[in-house]
Amino acid sequence: MKPVGSITRGTTNPNRLRRVDNWIASTLGGTLRRAADPLVVDLGYGASPITAIELHARLGVPVVGLEIDPARVAAARPFATEGLDFRLGGFELAGLRPTLVRAFNVLRQYDEVDVPAAWAAMTATGALLVEGTCDELGRLAAWVLVSPAGPRSLTLAARLATLDTPGTLAERLPKALIHHNVPGERIHALLAALDAGWQAAAPLSVFGPRQRWRRAVESAREAGWPVLDRPARWRLGEVTVPYSAVSPG
């Protein structure tokens, strides 16, 4: 089966994807536990296999790292172990039928028009897809949960100790949304609402950034944004909303 896709830059770092991995374990752990074959694919792990190794350790389920670059697959294979393998593959998933696919910092390097087909290919066998982008150290991240029926939710996540404003997360929006952060679009309105709440909650900074972020999220919810997660996730610097609330107009 010929891999579908293009070779990307492949830059990566240890712990870069810890935020999304922890979210997967918390939010989709039940789905993985109920699956008869809880296989997870790490698509486009890059020049180092470290993110696939960490994903396997954090989830405790079989993981296959897929790369479209044969040299990267060859370099990763010495790190294979029980429950962790590395293969050549792209959006076609090398013929695998995983329960979940994680594709991070991959579609960011494609054109926006390529996103729907890539989402459809990665969910064609019934898999859930977590697709998104983060900065080099994993301090800012955003991802979309996609089902075979389409995108379900958007999560924004940040290391609150170093967060300037919620609007900074615009730099790491998934490819499907990043070009729509302009006035009149829903994603722009969400970030503006979080920014307004963050500024209004400035006095809470004396109690730490978690209290300030929590109040910013509460303010957005009070303004009518359909926040899906609860304060336990907000304390981690996250907020999740239905994708329909931010989808391009």
Side-chain angles (χ1 to χ4, degrees):
M1 183 174 295
K2 183 178 180 181
V4 176
S6 303
I7 296 175
T8 55
R9 288 190 296 272
T11 54
T12 189
N13 278 306
N15 274 329
R16 187 182 187 187
L17 303 186
R18 63 193 178 280
R19 298 186 189 284
V20 66
D21 289 354
N22 292 336
W23 181 87
I24 289 172
S26 175
T27 307
L28 302 177
T31 299
L32 292 171
R33 287 191 293 271
R34 290 188 296 270
D37 181 16
L39 175 65
V40 175
V41 163
D42 182 17
L43 181 71
Y45 55 83
S48 164
I50 186 60
T51 57
I53 294 170
E54 292 172 341
L55 181 64
H56 179 240
R58 288 166 181 153
L59 297 186
V61 299
V63 170
V64 173
L66 291 183
E67 253 295 342
I68 201 168
D69 184 347
R72 294 174 185 170
V73 178
R77 279 184 172 152
F79 296 91
T81 185
E82 183 177 356
L84 176 63
D85 194 13
F86 298 94
R87 304 182 190 178
L88 186 68
F91 297 136
E92 82 302 331
L93 304 183
L96 298 171
R97 300 182 66 87
T99 300
L100 175 69
V101 178
R102 185 191 68 182
F104 242 68
N105 302 305
V106 175
L107 289 180
R108 182 177 178 85
Q109 301 177 53
Y110 285 73
D111 292 330
E112 184 182 344
V113 295
D114 298 323
V115 172
W119 281 359
M122 288 185 280
T123 59
T125 61
L128 291 174
L129 166 67
V130 177
E131 187 271 308
T133 303
C134 67
D135 67 353
E136 289 73 11
L137 298 179
R139 293 178 177 179
L140 300 171
W143 57 84
V144 179
L145 174 62
V146 186
S147 75
R152 290 184 182 177
S153 64
L154 169 72
T155 298
L156 305 174
R159 183 176 185 270
L160 296 179
T162 58
L163 183 65
D164 181 14
T165 69
T168 308
L169 285 157
E171 303 168 4
R172 300 299 164 179
L173 289 172
K175 177 60 76 169
L177 294 172
I178 193 167
H179 300 302
H180 296 275
N181 183 36
V182 294
E185 292 278 8
R186 288 186 280 258
I187 184 59
H188 183 272
L190 172 61
L191 291 172
L194 290 170
D195 266 350
W198 180 260
Q199 294 304 322
L204 294 177
S205 296
V206 296
F207 301 109
R210 288 183 177 180
Q211 293 299 321
R212 187 178 184 183
W213 173 263
R214 175 171 177 166
R215 182 57 197 146
V217 174
E218 288 174 343
S219 295
R221 187 173 63 175
E222 291 165 2
W225 288 97
V227 176
L228 295 177
D229 48 10
R230 309 305 301 165
R233 303 306 304 178
W234 305 346
R235 284 178 53 81
L236 302 176
E238 295 176 8
V239 61
T240 299
V241 298
Y243 190 80
S244 58
V246 295
S247 60

